[in-house]
Amino acid sequence: MPEAAQNVLENAPEIRYNPAEIEPRLQAQWDADPTLYAAEPHTGGKPKYYLVEMLPYPSGVLHMGHMRLYAIGDALARQGWMSGKNVLHPMGWDAFGLPAENAAIKNNVAPREWTLRNIAAMRKQMQRIGLSYDWGSEVTTCLPEYYRWNQWFFLEMLKRDLAYRKQSRLNWCPKCNTVLANEQVAGGYCWRHEDTLVEQRDLTQWFYRITNYAEELLQGLDALPGWPEKVRTMQRNWIGRSEGAEVTFAVEGCTDDMSVTVFTTRIDTIFGATSLQVAPDHPIVTHWCGFDEKLRPEVEAMLAEQKMARDTDALGELPKHGIDTGRRAVNPFTGEAIPVWVANYVLSGYGTGAVMSVPAHDERDFEFATKYGLPIKRVVAPYLDTDELSLPYTDKAESVLIESGQWTGEPVLEALEKMAKHAEAEGFGKATVTYRLKDWGVSRQRYWGTPIPVVYCDACGMQPVPAEQLPVLLPETIDVQNVQGSPLASVPEFLNTTCPACGGAAKRETDTMDTFVDSSWYFYRYTDPKNAAAPFASEVANYWFEIDQYIGGVEHAILHLIYSRFWTKVMRDLRLIENSEPATRLFTQGMVIKNGAKMSKSKGNVVSPDDMIAKYGADATRMYALFAAPPDRDLEWQEEGVAGVSRFLSRVYRITMKFAPVLRAHEGSSATEALSPAGQKLLRKLHQTIAKITLDFSGRWHFNTCIASVMVLVNELIASESAMDSGEVSEATQRELFRTLVLLLAPFAPFLAQELWGELGHEGVVFRHTWPVADAELAREDEIEIPVQINGKLANVVTVPAEADKDALLAAAMRDERIAARLAGKTVVKTIVVPGKLVNLVVK
């Protein structure tokens, strides 16, 4: 090392790492440049990378659970820029919803004021953390420029019969004081209030016809290999496709419109049907109860029993029982009259609300028939029939029909199709497919949401608000205290309007939209957030979509993710976009756990990133969130871990600052010229680290091991500090080592990386410089360790040249003293040698 450089190193004072000074200073510089994180125009030539983390609800505070989610996305965005991609990395606010309204009631503050104040606070937190969001793409769903397009979409769906209004039995949360969609009920409880049982109420509400897309939503899951299988399985189960047939049974003594239609997946067993079971609130039962004084109280008791079981999520645990109505229905295949029972396990909301009972071939039917002494008739048997077959017999793959009229002897799988066709030809049935998925109820009886753009006129009936009159503005401040029903109904200036058809007096719809409407399409608005003429420009959205990487919690697998897939297909059919799915890849991050529970405000176990940043800095806080566990696993919160990462960053800062005065000189010679053994060893570790981190960013995302590999590299640098001091490692090699180390740190610790980038004499923003490329030759080990096995058990490990072939590996193994001792007196009968992997000696 030149004497002048040596003097610089010896006389330079040690500067301590102070993130409290570095990070705010750099953040102020970054905030001053609105183009820093902005995507380039869609007409450019770079490969695009659209990265979205699920937008948060503006509760006013971030905790470490949020930090982990955003740290993952931030690392991907920064490495994407460094890899030469056109990155769009936006952020917005899921700003409507019950929490804001409830907070208004509790704190006597307007929901709009509460929400916008919280947004400002959370945005400030995100900026202090240093998250790389393009704030020019920001979307706030409670502002008219956004929810106007919710209303526009509603009108478009109304035109296409995808939005409709009907009376239905719906889920009601007494704490939310509003209707819930089926997807918002978990185990009988409200999705927001996990201790509040959901009730059933008959109400007239608005629905989106998501069932029109049920089959496409199901089949589309096969085209999403980049989504977690767990999420796809949850959606398949929720959609719940069942193939079968509907068959109509005429009821003796009733008119044709009082028949009973059943859905069955086993029409092949219909000759074995010995009764029908119907739900206690089936229309035909309601009809009979109108004049049957004996039946009515029994049915009412059963309905009360069902309600109590539903309210306590115990429907599946009800002891199965029924009521014999005394009526009989005619099996259209056999002409036989069979009894009609009311059964407590049949629900009106599933299928047709009626089932045919085939006790010989269904476990539930067998239990019911045995309890009440109903006939049990076997009509399916194995190919090798036997009278001693135990019942119920439910197999069908290797079975045939018996005692089934013209279909006797038919294989079951063939009879299913033939019998359904016969039912359709005769006019009493048809093959059909049913789904567990129900239409999406979008009406909410609360204030803080998108107004539904229809009015009601005594003369003209329901009328849509013309598109040119949008948005229907939500009043900014109203009294939401102690309001019965929808709060908007108590605001005359909102409620009273004119009919767009006749110009007469009319009333506005006072329900607002489910907030999942807002989050179903927000990521399309990100691509063109200032557009006042359309939800977004199609050519811009078509460039960015599908989302390349979507990140968020698995708890949204049914709610948000299925709704957003539906909305995407609707927009495609409106010819706004070309894609059929919103995101190519989905990642569901693990939770942050503290005191044995998911970190959340409701559990009182949150850790504020503000507190951690004040103690250790933003880089250490975010780096711990990435380092403490693989991103798809739960992370057990430990503050000591943040402190440990902070100490590591201090070591990086110290050693880099020590050599920076020398290394910021001109580039000079190549790092690989006249390499010393110490320099070669360091460059080998450097390029091995580049290779590992680059591979992980390509899809595995083992950021914890990425950071660990950087820590190993830094340890190697510190261990070689004296070699660098003495000049044994050239300045050119040192320059390459520290320059690349800083680039590798940039996605994980951007503030420190930027500070050191400047100290090393480089200009510009570190995460806009090119990502380093691993040199395979420099990364190659000169020597490697090879395990040697005897009869499959490890005997020793030998060190050989990395390029050693089979003969050289075998020779090295046989020369090893420990191996030789183990082979004494034995005969090697077979050798298995895999270069670079192992040697296995089979001996007798």
Side-chain angles (χ1 to χ4, degrees):
M1 177 176 290
E3 183 177 351
Q6 184 69 37
N7 290 336
V8 169
L9 287 178
E10 291 176 352
N11 297 322
E14 183 172 325
I15 305 174
R16 295 182 64 82
Y17 173 51
N18 183 9
E21 186 279 324
I22 293 170
E23 293 176 354
R25 169 168 47 82
L26 290 177
Q27 188 59 51
Q29 294 176 17
W30 294 344
D31 288 344
D33 181 3
T35 67
L36 179 62
Y37 297 130
E40 297 176 29
H42 68 281
T43 52
K46 287 185 179 179
K48 65 96 176 177
Y49 185 61
Y50 189 14
L51 169 68
V52 184
E53 298 104 67
M54 292 182 185
L55 82 175
Y57 182 80
S59 61
V61 63
L62 297 177
H63 58 65
M64 288 306 302
H66 298 108
M67 168 72 95
R68 190 182 194 199
L69 167 64
Y70 303 142
I72 293 169
D74 193 70
L76 291 170
R78 293 179 189 279
Q79 202 272 343
W81 279 307
M82 298 173 79
S83 298
K85 298 174 183 175
N86 183 15
V87 178
L88 176 57
H89 187 213
M91 179 47 66
W93 312 98
D94 193 9
F96 270 140
L98 290 174
E101 192 165 342
N102 291 338
I105 294 171
K106 181 179 179 181
N107 301 315
N108 196 28
V109 58
R112 175 185 171 88
E113 177 186 346
W114 188 88
T115 300
L116 296 182
R117 188 170 65 202
N118 287 348
I119 287 173
M122 291 175 72
R123 188 190 300 112
K124 185 177 180 181
Q125 280 185 294
M126 290 179 173
Q127 290 171 322
R128 176 61 186 90
I129 293 166
L131 298 173
S132 56
Y133 294 128
D134 174 13
W135 292 108
S137 297
E138 183 180 12
V139 160
T140 303
T141 63
C142 69
L143 297 181
E145 54 263 34
Y146 184 86
Y147 71 71
R148 165 192 181 181
W149 300 110
N150 287 346
Q151 296 171 345
W152 182 86
F153 280 121
F154 179 94
L155 297 178
E156 291 298 313
M157 291 194 204
L158 193 62
K159 290 177 190 175
R160 291 160 176 79
D161 196 33
L162 290 174
Y164 67 98
R165 194 170 182 254
K166 70 170 183 177
Q167 185 176 53
S168 179
R169 178 160 292 184
L170 299 167
N171 307 302
W172 179 273
C173 173
K175 188 172 287 188
C176 292
N177 199 31
T178 190
V179 161
L180 302 178
N182 290 337
E183 292 81 1
Q184 293 162 346
V185 180
Y189 291 82
C190 174
W191 71 289
R192 281 200 179 276
H193 305 110
E194 297 174 359
D195 59 347
T196 302
L197 288 166
V198 171
E199 302 172 357
Q200 299 294 303
R201 293 191 181 182
D202 292 321
L203 297 165
T204 299
Q205 301 285 278
W206 286 98
F207 293 82
Y208 281 147
R209 215 179 289 276
I210 192 173
T211 52
N212 279 21
Y213 291 85
E215 186 64 25
E216 189 180 357
L217 286 167
L218 182 65
Q219 298 300 325
L221 294 169
D222 294 333
L224 295 173
W227 285 40
E229 184 55 36
K230 178 180 180 180
V231 171
R232 294 193 290 165
T233 297
M234 291 170 71
Q235 291 206 5
R236 286 190 188 98
N237 293 340
W238 188 260
I239 294 167
R241 186 182 195 274
S242 295
E243 292 186 21
E246 288 183 354
V247 181
T248 299
F249 289 67
V251 178
E252 291 182 339
C254 290
T255 58
D256 290 343
D257 60 348
M258 282 286 106
S259 58
V260 175
T261 299
V262 304
F263 172 79
T264 177
T265 59
R266 293 292 305 272
I267 194 174
D268 59 294
T269 66
I270 198 166
F271 279 79
T274 59
S275 65
L276 291 186
Q277 276 83 52
V278 296
D281 52 351
H282 189 284
I284 200 166
V285 177
T286 304
H287 170 71
W288 290 334
C289 286
F291 57 83
D292 190 329
E293 296 296 332
K294 179 178 181 297
L295 181 63
R296 185 189 306 125
E298 294 180 280
V299 169
E300 289 176 349
M302 186 178 286
L303 284 168
E305 175 193 45
Q306 276 192 346
K307 180 182 185 302
M308 182 176 294
R310 185 185 290 109
D311 288 347
T312 57
D313 196 29
L315 275 172
E317 301 169 12
L318 277 179
K320 297 174 179 59
H321 66 91
I323 307 165
D324 186 355
T325 67
R327 277 80 176 174
R328 299 172 73 82
V330 178
N331 185 329
F333 275 85
T334 67
E336 178 185 3
I338 58 177
V340 180
W341 286 66
V342 181
N344 67 339
Y345 58 84
V346 183
L347 305 176
S348 61
Y350 290 90
T352 62
V355 298
M356 68 180 196
S357 179
V358 186
H361 306 294
D362 182 274
E363 291 183 3
R364 183 190 61 190
D365 295 347
F366 183 82
E367 178 186 341
F368 191 85
T370 301
K371 180 174 182 177
Y372 290 103
L374 297 171
I376 298 174
K377 181 181 179 182
R378 189 160 67 94
V379 294
V380 178
Y383 280 118
L384 298 175
D385 190 17
T386 172
D387 290 334
E388 297 178 358
L389 190 70
S390 63
L391 297 179
Y393 175 71
T394 58
D395 291 346
K396 60 182 180 179
E398 300 294 327
S399 302
V400 297
L401 299 189
I402 60 174
E403 299 187 37
S404 297
Q406 70 190 72
W407 292 279
T408 297
E410 288 272 4
V412 164
L413 297 181
E414 295 178 19
L416 285 166
E417 182 178 356
K418 291 179 180 179
M419 295 173 77
K421 287 182 177 179
H422 173 78
E424 186 162 8
E426 294 297 320
F428 55 73
K430 62 179 179 178
T432 189
V433 175
T434 65
Y435 300 90
R436 180 176 182 265
L437 179 70
K438 303 301 179 186
D439 281 340
W440 176 11
V442 295
S443 294
R444 296 295 178 268
Q445 292 68 47
R446 298 300 293 258
Y447 156 64
W448 192 236
T450 298
I452 294 175
V454 298
V455 302
Y456 301 98
C457 172
D458 289 341
C460 304
M462 187 276 293
Q463 294 292 317
V465 173
E468 60 271 17
Q469 294 181 18
L470 299 181
V472 176
L473 290 172
L474 189 71
E476 290 191 4
T477 56
I478 70 171
D479 183 7
V480 293
Q481 302 283 344
N482 302 315
V483 175
Q484 296 299 316
S486 173
L488 289 174
S490 64
V491 184
E493 56 269 30
F494 174 86
L495 180 65
N496 299 315
T497 186
T498 56
C499 173
C502 69
K507 304 287 187 184
R508 290 197 187 279
E509 172 64 77
T510 57
D511 283 354
T512 54
M513 295 185 195
D514 180 10
T515 55
F516 281 97
V517 167
D518 306 320
S519 59
S520 291
W521 68 281
Y522 71 98
F523 29 61
Y524 290 92
R525 184 68 176 177
Y526 277 153
T527 67
D528 194 15
K530 304 298 190 294
N531 196 324
F536 48 81
S538 295
E539 65 272 17
V540 177
N542 287 332
Y543 167 77
W544 286 110
F545 274 84
E546 298 175 354
I547 296 169
D548 296 283
Q549 186 64 65
Y550 197 29
I551 309 174
V554 72
E555 65 270 20
H556 298 295
I558 299 301
L559 292 159
H560 160 61
L561 289 172
I562 206 165
Y563 293 149
S564 63
R565 294 183 61 224
F566 159 68
W567 208 278
T568 290
K569 296 175 196 311
V570 171
M571 291 195 299
R572 177 204 61 198
D573 292 346
L574 292 174
R575 302 191 178 219
L576 287 172
I577 55 174
E578 296 173 352
N579 54 296
S580 296
E581 296 289 348
T584 302
R585 291 173 58 88
L586 170 71
F587 181 80
T588 54
Q589 84 283 2
M591 297 183 294
V592 177
I593 306 296
K594 186 169 183 281
N595 300 331
K598 173 186 175 182
M599 193 175 286
S600 70
K601 288 195 297 181
S602 63
K603 293 182 172 62
N605 64 346
V606 297
V607 174
S608 168
D610 294 352
D611 295 340
M612 295 299 101
I613 290 169
K615 285 185 180 181
Y616 307 108
D619 280 345
T621 305
R622 72 158 71 198
M623 204 164 173
Y624 168 75
L626 297 172
F627 174 63
D632 59 333
R633 307 282 180 83
D634 290 349
L635 182 160
E636 185 68 40
W637 173 259
Q638 293 183 354
E639 184 175 334
E640 295 83 357
V642 188
V645 172
S646 178
R647 289 192 295 271
F648 163 70
L649 294 178
S650 293
R651 291 196 295 273
V652 173
Y653 184 79
R654 181 199 67 79
I655 193 169
T656 307
M657 291 296 287
K658 173 182 175 179
F659 290 96
V662 174
L663 302 182
R664 71 168 63 103
H666 64 279
E667 289 292 326
S669 58
S670 167
T672 58
E673 286 184 15
L675 272 177
S676 66
Q680 185 176 28
K681 180 182 178 183
L682 286 171
L683 283 180
R684 180 185 302 120
K685 179 56 65 177
L686 176 69
H687 284 270
Q688 289 172 347
T689 305
I690 296 170
K692 171 171 180 40
I693 297 177
T694 303
L695 177 63
D696 278 333
F697 268 110
S698 69
R700 297 191 311 174
W701 295 10
H702 294 177
F703 296 143
N704 55 319
T705 58
C706 286
I707 294 169
S709 67
V710 175
M711 290 176 171
V712 171
L713 174 62
V714 171
N715 287 341
E716 292 272 1
L717 286 171
I718 292 172
S720 302
E721 194 167 349
S722 60
M724 291 190 287
D725 286 340
S726 67
E728 185 180 347
V729 178
S730 71
E731 287 182 21
T733 300
Q734 293 178 35
R735 189 175 297 110
E736 179 65 16
L737 286 165
F738 284 100
R739 176 186 178 277
T740 307
L741 168 64
V742 170
L743 290 172
L744 294 176
L745 275 173
F748 310 115
F751 289 116
L752 178 61
Q754 182 63 53
E755 182 74 0
L756 296 179
W757 187 250
E759 292 291 342
L760 289 170
H762 302 294
E763 296 182 353
V765 180
V766 63
F767 44 83
R768 288 293 191 167
H769 282 261
T770 303
W771 183 255
V773 177
D775 185 317
E777 185 60 29
L778 286 173
R780 186 175 62 86
E781 293 281 1
D782 291 336
E783 292 184 327
I784 56 176
E785 293 183 335
I786 298 294
V788 180
Q789 300 174 342
I790 297 177
N791 290 342
K793 294 184 178 180
L794 181 66
N796 202 11
V797 175
V798 297
T799 301
V800 298
E803 69 278 2
D805 59 14
K806 286 185 176 182
D807 292 339
L809 279 179
L810 183 59
M814 302 300 286
R815 285 196 305 269
D816 184 80
E817 293 181 1
R818 189 169 179 179
I819 300 298
R822 296 282 295 274
L823 294 177
K826 297 182 176 68
T827 302
V828 178
V829 297
K830 185 179 181 181
T831 61
I832 302 170
V833 182
V834 182
K837 298 293 183 181
L838 64 83
V839 175
N840 186 24
L841 306 174
V842 182
V843 304
K844 287 185 178 179

